[in-house]
Amino acid sequence: MANVHDLAAYILDKTGEITSMKLQKLCYYSQAWQLVWEDRPIFNEPIQAWANGPVMPDLYREHRGNFTVSTWQKGDAKALDAGERETVDIVLESYSGLTAHQLSEMTHREDPWQSARAGLPDGSRSNATISLASMHSYYLGQAERTTNP
């Protein structure tokens, strides 16, 4: 199994320089859709429901203080298997045209982030974990609505 750093390296190999926030959101959506399409995660590191959307603290510690990132030395893009690469490629095709702010706003409208932050005031800090089960359930429902209107 790959880790979140491997995923970040793969995304940056494909996209080139992007904002740190956008990297976080693309990793999040890659994990979400991998759960739906392959019934397994890409990585095991936790995803937390921060004020600006889902964040992988392990990634954050590495890019903290950098507005943009272009490479990820800590990860190995080749660690992703064929199914993981296919998922990420589809996610990048679907989401990479959006800005970091647009991606963040999307996550704020979606149940996994909202549920993890239930009862918290807007903008407050949180280290609440977004569960893989909530991600799988929500995005599976999204996929079913798309294929069965």
Side-chain angles (χ1 to χ4, degrees):
M1 174 181 283
N3 64 47
V4 73
H5 298 287
D6 300 329
L7 175 57
Y10 184 82
I11 288 172
L12 290 169
D13 279 357
K14 292 288 193 168
T15 64
E17 183 176 70
I18 57 176
T19 67
S20 300
M21 181 188 269
K22 187 169 184 172
L23 176 62
Q24 288 279 350
K25 303 314 172 250
L26 292 173
C27 286
Y28 171 77
Y29 281 117
S30 295
Q31 180 81 314
W33 289 109
Q34 176 75 6
L35 291 167
V36 172
W37 296 329
E38 298 272 334
D39 258 349
R40 62 186 172 94
I42 295 176
F43 59 87
N44 285 326
E45 291 86 353
I47 301 172
Q48 294 180 348
W50 288 18
N52 287 326
V55 170
M56 280 104 316
D58 288 356
L59 285 185
Y60 179 78
R61 282 188 283 278
E62 297 300 317
H63 68 63
R64 185 178 183 173
N66 297 316
F67 181 73
T68 62
V69 289
S70 57
T71 60
W72 205 260
Q73 300 302 318
K74 192 166 182 175
D76 178 8
K78 294 179 182 131
L80 275 69
D81 66 31
E84 293 163 346
R85 288 190 306 273
E86 181 179 11
T87 294
V88 179
D89 291 345
I90 294 168
V91 166
L92 293 177
E93 184 177 310
S94 300
Y95 293 91
S96 65
L98 301 171
T99 68
H101 185 70
Q102 289 171 316
L103 292 169
S104 181
E105 286 180 348
M106 284 173 51
T107 64
H108 285 213
R109 292 189 299 267
E110 297 170 344
D111 188 62
W113 182 83
Q114 289 179 357
S115 294
R117 290 187 61 84
L120 293 173
D122 287 349
S124 67
R125 290 180 177 244
S126 171
N127 62 356
T129 299
I130 297 173
S131 75
L132 295 181
S134 73
M135 291 171 66
H136 182 267
S137 175
Y138 177 79
Y139 293 102
L140 180 60
Q142 296 302 305
E144 288 171 351
R145 276 191 275 292
T146 303
T147 57
N148 301 315

